[in-house]
Amino acid sequence: MATRLNVSTHKFRYYALLSFFTALAAACVLFIPYIIAGDGVMYYYGDFNAQEIPFYQMVHGSIQNGQLGWSYTTDLGCDLLSSYSFYLMGSPFFWITLLFPNSFVPYLIGPLLILKFAFSSLSAFIYLQRYVKNKSFAVLGGILYAFSGFSIYNIFFFHFHEPMIVFPLLLAALDSFLYEKRRGIFALAVFAGCVVNYYFFAGQALFVAIYYLMLALTKTFRFRLKEFFLLALEVIIGFAAAAFILLPSVLGLMGNPRLNSLPNGWNSLVHSSPQRYWLSVLAFLFPADMPAFPVFTPQSNCKWASVAGWLPLFGMTGMIAYLQTRKRDWLKKLITLLILFAFVPVLNSMFQLLNSSIYYARWYYMLVLLAILATVRAVEDNEVNWNRAIAWSVGLTVGAAALIGFMPNTVENEDGTTETTIGVQATFDRFWIYVLMAMISLLAFVLILKKFHGRSPHFEIASISGVLAVALTVSTFNICTGYLSSSSTETIKRDILNLGDNVKLDGLEKSRCDFYECVDNTAMYWKIQSINCFQSSVSSSIMEFYNALGITRDVASRPETENYGLRALLSCRYLFDYKYDNDNEDCSFTYENGKTKMPYWKQIKTINNFTVYENECYIPMGFVYDSYITQEEFERISTSHRSEAILNAMVLTKEQMEKYSEITGYDKEDYSVLYGEEPDNFESETDSYLYGGDYYTEQCKKLAASSCTEFRYTKTGFEAQYKNDSGEALMFFSIPYSDGFSAKINGKPVQIEKVNYGFMAVKLPAQSECDIVFSYETPGFLTGVKISLSALAAFILYMTAVVGFGIRKKKKAELRCKNQEIAD
């Protein structure tokens, strides 16, 4: 039959296209129903709705508008490149969206996701095809990779699939370097991996090092020192070529508290939650659990940790079968080593540069690819004992399900009574559905194996069909559960998506907004400024500021209403409260009596079913203090009052107080008490601060009266005008400090000071009209571009040398042959 998969008659291209288009068709079947249900937009839940879609649209709009440096619609303001290089700036899929109008971007998310699944299958095929005789098994492996548990789990994180695509290509490039002696490809692969996502590349670099060492130590290839140095050179060139995006990203993240936790103590050797050991095994025995809704190990504290790896139809059976063979090759040893990495916290953290601030297993796609390689090699090996492998796989699956599902569990109720239930899973229904799907999948595999194994091409066709059927069924359940659990989808569809033009308020373009218990990043959807932001890769200055005020800022900025003074400081003028079909007082900005949960806010109108309130104590952007205190003085204030206290005086370092003593009134003798042996004896003005009521409103009015007459953002920063009728002063801007900013007043460069634990101030000349201009350039970008161009030049020279050496070698070989013929 013409449709039969015959490796002797079909070329590599046929199987590559088969891998790509099979996954593409399956992804269409999986996702198009949700795109239709979303009126053309692929919605899911959680981060997918609140981050991935608005990030794409907001950054897309910024780039199209020529704002390539500073993003004032990300939190209080951030560098665009460093803040979004983790999410999308290095993704080729994102850059495709620039061909379309901004309003189209949300409608491209679904098609892009479908393409990502197709390319995941293709890239895995490219790597796997080297290790199988029958290329249709590589097609099977590509589909397994694209629809693996890790891939389905991480639909929640839309930007995780790009590293999944790059990783098999990175290994394929290394194999090509080692076995075919092809030069230059690995440098390109390193460059691509680093550009696509620097965080994942750190783990990929570690894996490649382990992979290379394992191949060398098992003598899988012949080690030559010359080749090693060439390989190292390609790594350096590829890595350096990515400097244009890598260097700004590293500089932008320095100081982020989420990156400052190194392994320490027993927590580096033993997981703090024993359930994580179970989860690492269950992740390969059962279909992917759901981020935010873990069912197997509810107390493992592994929400969003990406602990998933199940293979549709095969589960762990194929990998177990391969591990049970007598062969002791590099693959078996490498899988065993990675299992050890999964169980030891310090080793696990190595895949994220030893960052131990939070547990993640976001490198499991690497283990998944090796499990797939073991699986496809096992199904091609006629000596594999499948009965034993199936017995182990079924035994592990049934045993784990029985232990979790039937274990007695005694819990204490709120009234102090105890209750004993059966099962330690989070929810009864979902748990047993997962168990049932895993068991039916294993049964389907057994039936296919018994009926078709050894009968080519029937086994290949049946296996691929079985994988697709199981993958689509299981994935549909998982995605549908997430889709239906979303509390944001209908709100976004009805009142947020592409409705920013309806938000018309006076001075909106130069003031910030607050969103009370609304869908995260609503402001990004509308491309307006907000003090609320669900984004973890923000400026370290923002983190420093919130930490100084005793306000938690981890993955999002969501200041509590108790910190109402913060709104005035940050020039927050409007507050949005979503009112549609919501009678829950906890989700409303007003109490039952109509009083607002923060003082001095008044209701003004309704937009897109959001009730809008205006801050009666609004302070415009850019204002002058008449009082200054040191950080040591400010830290004496209770954290409950700091958001108000910072309105009374600008907070400076000791050195700044002394530097601007003519403005601050710093007296070295007076302050010697504060910095002496008895600092408590220092009399600070902070001791006399009053809070709330008339004192708060009067302070806000005073600062508002000393604010800029004009303020506007530009494509390269911002500008302001101020008439200074008095002496020299420091003007404060609640825009996060960054080394990328430079400032001029009336055309003359001035120094920018970091004040109030993370913001900017400049010195104003006395008795003058001040035209203030702040310009921004991404720190490290130009230097990175220069390094990248140098790396490009080095790559060209390297490839020229490689080609020249190859030509010379070929000519020598031809000459040798001619001489041999003459001699004969």
Side-chain angles (χ1 to χ4, degrees):
M1 294 178 63
T3 58
R4 293 177 63 180
L5 304 180
N6 191 327
V7 72
S8 63
T9 59
H10 292 281
K11 297 180 180 180
F12 167 84
R13 184 179 299 176
Y14 170 82
Y15 290 102
L17 292 175
L18 181 63
S19 178
F20 178 85
F21 284 107
T22 303
L24 183 72
C28 286
V29 172
L30 181 60
F31 295 116
I32 285 179
Y34 300 98
I35 296 174
I36 295 172
D39 297 332
V41 178
M42 173 69 200
Y43 295 104
Y44 193 26
Y45 77 107
D47 289 20
F48 190 95
N49 293 354
Q51 285 194 327
E52 309 297 352
I53 300 175
F55 285 1
Y56 255 65
Q57 190 170 27
M58 190 274 292
V59 176
H60 177 279
S62 296
I63 293 174
Q64 284 195 335
N65 292 333
Q67 276 186 301
L68 305 177
W70 189 254
S71 172
Y72 56 83
T73 50
T74 300
D75 210 298
L76 303 177
C78 288
D79 176 76
L80 190 71
L81 178 58
S82 63
S83 294
Y84 291 96
S85 55
F86 171 68
Y87 294 98
L88 51 84
M89 292 298 283
S91 169
F93 297 96
F94 167 74
W95 291 99
I96 292 173
T97 67
L98 293 177
L99 301 174
F100 299 87
N102 187 254
S103 60
F104 280 30
V105 173
Y107 300 94
L108 298 173
I109 296 296
L112 290 179
L113 186 60
I114 291 171
L115 279 176
K116 289 183 183 184
F117 271 69
F119 278 107
S120 293
S121 177
L122 175 61
S123 67
F125 165 82
I126 291 172
Y127 170 68
L128 296 169
Q129 57 87 26
R130 172 185 301 276
Y131 296 97
V132 291
K133 296 177 181 178
N134 187 340
K135 303 304 179 187
S136 58
F137 286 130
V139 175
L140 171 66
I143 296 169
L144 279 171
Y145 185 70
F147 293 91
S148 65
F150 187 91
S151 181
I152 297 302
Y153 180 106
N154 288 297
I155 292 172
F156 188 81
F157 302 107
F158 184 69
H159 56 290
F160 280 20
H161 287 83
E162 283 90 333
M164 283 190 66
I165 295 170
V166 170
F167 176 65
L169 300 179
L170 189 64
L171 296 187
L174 179 58
D175 285 348
S176 183
F177 180 95
L178 297 176
Y179 303 126
E180 277 91 49
K181 313 304 179 186
R182 292 180 180 174
R183 307 302 182 221
I185 299 176
F186 190 63
L188 295 175
V190 170
F191 169 76
C194 199
V195 168
V196 161
N197 193 296
Y198 61 86
Y199 169 85
F200 281 92
F201 180 75
Q204 291 171 359
L206 172 65
F207 183 92
V208 167
I210 297 172
Y211 183 84
Y212 178 83
L213 287 172
M214 187 62 70
L215 293 178
L217 292 174
T218 56
K219 298 182 180 180
T220 305
F221 73 96
R222 184 178 177 183
F223 177 84
R224 292 183 176 89
L225 191 61
K226 177 184 174 182
E227 281 193 347
F228 174 78
F229 284 121
L230 286 178
L231 183 65
L233 179 61
E234 291 203 18
V235 170
I236 294 171
I237 290 174
F239 185 75
F244 72 95
I245 192 171
L246 182 63
L247 185 58
S249 300
V250 171
L251 293 175
L253 288 174
M254 289 178 65
N256 191 314
R258 300 188 78 205
L259 306 176
N260 293 336
S261 179
L262 293 174
N264 181 46
W266 271 102
N267 285 338
S268 301
L269 304 175
V270 182
H271 284 302
S272 57
S273 170
Q275 291 187 23
R276 289 180 185 171
Y277 294 104
W278 275 82
L279 183 57
S280 293
V281 176
L282 298 172
F284 289 86
L285 290 174
F286 297 97
D289 209 343
M290 293 178 59
F293 304 115
V295 66
F296 290 95
T297 56
Q299 280 80 49
S300 62
N301 193 24
C302 286
K303 292 181 179 180
W304 313 290
S306 301
V307 189
W310 183 74
L311 303 182
L313 187 69
F314 289 88
M316 289 183 68
T317 311
M319 185 174 73
I320 291 173
Y322 188 82
L323 293 178
Q324 289 177 340
T325 60
R326 295 180 180 179
K327 301 174 184 177
R328 296 197 175 276
D329 63 357
W330 66 269
L331 179 58
K332 184 183 293 188
K333 293 178 180 179
L334 185 54
I335 290 175
T336 305
L337 180 63
L338 290 179
I339 292 172
L340 176 65
F341 270 69
F343 281 95
V344 181
V346 66
L347 298 179
N348 181 81
S349 69
M350 289 177 67
F351 286 100
Q352 49 186 11
L353 294 179
L354 293 176
N355 178 28
S356 301
S357 60
I358 190 169
Y359 171 76
Y360 285 136
R362 292 177 173 174
W363 61 274
Y364 272 23
Y365 65 98
M366 305 177 190
L367 182 54
V368 166
L369 184 62
L370 293 187
I372 292 170
L373 176 56
T375 298
V376 296
R377 291 183 69 174
V379 296
E380 200 174 42
D381 189 345
N382 294 325
E383 297 181 1
V384 167
N385 186 340
W386 283 106
N387 290 332
R388 183 171 62 167
I390 291 169
W392 271 95
S393 185
V394 172
L396 288 171
T397 305
V398 172
L403 287 171
I404 295 173
F406 296 110
M407 182 64 63
N409 185 29
T410 302
V411 296
E412 185 175 344
N413 298 319
E414 294 181 358
D415 59 3
T417 61
T418 58
E419 179 182 0
T420 300
T421 58
I422 300 299
V424 291
Q425 69 276 8
T427 58
F428 179 87
D429 295 340
R430 280 181 51 228
F431 172 78
W432 287 109
I433 289 174
Y434 280 132
V435 172
L436 181 63
M437 289 190 296
M439 295 306 300
I440 291 176
S441 176
L442 285 174
L443 176 61
F445 170 69
V446 171
L447 293 176
I448 291 173
L449 186 74
K450 297 297 183 183
K451 186 171 180 63
F452 297 110
H453 192 240
R455 296 172 56 193
S456 183
H458 300 88
F459 178 72
E460 297 95 286
I461 295 172
S463 296
I464 292 173
S465 301
V467 167
L468 289 173
V470 171
L472 290 176
T473 301
V474 172
S475 301
T476 296
F477 170 76
N478 196 304
I479 298 170
C480 185
T481 304
Y483 184 90
L484 295 177
S485 69
S486 173
S487 60
S488 62
T489 298
E490 289 303 317
T491 301
I492 295 171
K493 286 169 58 177
R494 180 179 52 242
D495 297 318
I496 297 177
L497 186 69
N498 288 333
L499 293 176
D501 290 342
N502 295 346
V503 186
K504 297 178 180 179
L505 297 165
D506 292 339
L508 184 64
E509 71 283 353
K510 56 185 178 182
S511 59
R512 295 192 177 104
C513 300
D514 193 2
F515 287 80
Y516 185 82
E517 298 293 336
C518 298
V519 172
D520 279 322
N521 292 330
T522 298
M524 283 193 187
Y525 274 103
W526 293 343
K527 303 178 190 66
I528 62 176
Q529 300 174 74
S530 174
I531 65 171
N532 311 104
C533 181
F534 179 26
Q535 216 269 39
S536 56
S537 302
V538 297
S539 168
S540 58
S541 293
I542 295 174
M543 302 289 195
E544 182 182 347
F545 167 71
Y546 278 116
N547 181 62
L549 267 65
I551 299 173
T552 300
R553 206 300 179 190
D554 39 30
V555 298
S557 297
R558 303 184 185 107
E560 300 290 340
T561 53
E562 289 80 2
N563 305 117
Y564 60 86
L566 192 69
R567 276 71 178 178
L569 177 81
L570 301 179
S571 299
C572 183
R573 185 171 181 179
Y574 299 105
L575 182 144
F576 291 83
D577 184 23
Y578 191 63
K579 289 293 188 181
Y580 186 89
D581 193 26
N582 187 359
D583 297 326
N584 186 350
E585 184 178 304
D586 292 337
C587 297
S588 173
F589 184 57
T590 57
Y591 297 104
E592 289 185 359
N593 60 8
K595 186 177 180 181
T596 58
K597 292 184 177 178
M598 286 192 293
Y600 317 115
W601 290 80
K602 64 177 181 180
Q603 181 177 334
I604 57 172
K605 63 190 326 182
T606 298
I607 301 175
N608 298 341
N609 284 318
F610 287 79
T611 302
V612 184
Y613 296 82
E614 186 171 12
N615 188 358
E616 296 179 302
C617 293
Y618 165 66
I619 305 173
M621 184 74 72
F623 55 85
V624 174
Y625 284 91
D626 61 5
S627 182
Y628 305 85
I629 59 174
T630 64
Q631 291 180 348
E632 289 80 6
E633 290 177 87
F634 184 77
E635 288 162 9
R636 292 166 60 162
I637 301 169
S638 168
T639 54
S640 61
H641 291 306
R642 288 183 182 179
S643 66
E644 278 189 68
I646 204 167
L647 293 168
N648 289 272
M650 182 184 292
V651 184
L652 305 173
T653 64
K654 174 188 175 184
E655 292 73 23
Q656 288 172 326
M657 288 284 286
E658 190 169 3
K659 178 181 178 180
Y660 298 102
S661 59
E662 293 182 0
I663 298 174
T664 63
Y666 178 85
D667 185 280
K668 191 172 183 179
E669 184 177 342
D670 288 344
Y671 274 88
S672 64
V673 178
L674 179 63
Y675 298 109
E677 296 180 357
E678 297 181 351
D680 293 339
N681 293 335
F682 177 75
E683 294 183 5
S684 172
E685 65 177 76
T686 60
D687 299 333
S688 60
Y689 284 169
L690 300 176
Y691 305 103
D694 293 340
Y695 188 85
Y696 171 73
T697 57
E698 288 301 319
Q699 187 62 29
C700 290
K701 288 178 182 178
K702 182 170 66 172
L703 293 176
S706 69
S707 64
C708 293
T709 53
E710 292 291 337
F711 178 89
R712 58 186 171 275
Y713 286 99
T714 65
K715 291 182 179 180
T716 57
F718 60 92
E719 299 175 347
Q721 284 79 43
Y722 180 73
K723 184 177 181 181
N724 188 14
D725 294 327
S726 58
E728 294 179 336
L730 292 175
M731 169 154 281
F732 169 78
F733 293 96
S734 60
I735 294 174
Y737 177 89
S738 170
D739 291 334
F741 276 109
S742 60
K744 291 183 179 180
I745 297 180
N746 298 331
K748 296 180 180 180
V750 293
Q751 184 175 352
I752 301 173
E753 296 290 346
K754 185 177 181 180
V755 303
N756 283 358
Y757 294 98
F759 296 114
M760 297 190 290
V762 289
K763 179 183 176 182
L764 301 179
Q767 303 293 328
S768 63
E769 295 275 356
C770 298
D771 187 10
I772 308 166
V773 178
F774 276 71
S775 301
Y776 184 79
E777 290 184 0
T778 299
F781 178 69
L782 292 179
T783 302
V785 168
K786 293 175 182 178
I787 296 173
S788 296
L789 291 175
S790 299
L792 175 60
F795 180 73
I796 293 172
L797 289 174
Y798 170 70
M799 291 306 299
T800 301
V802 167
V803 172
F805 179 78
I807 294 173
R808 183 181 175 186
K809 186 177 181 181
K810 184 177 180 181
K811 287 182 177 180
K812 283 186 176 181
E814 291 174 351
L815 181 61
R816 193 181 303 112
C817 289
K818 287 182 179 179
N819 292 336
Q820 185 66 38
E821 290 176 359
I822 294 172
D824 293 340

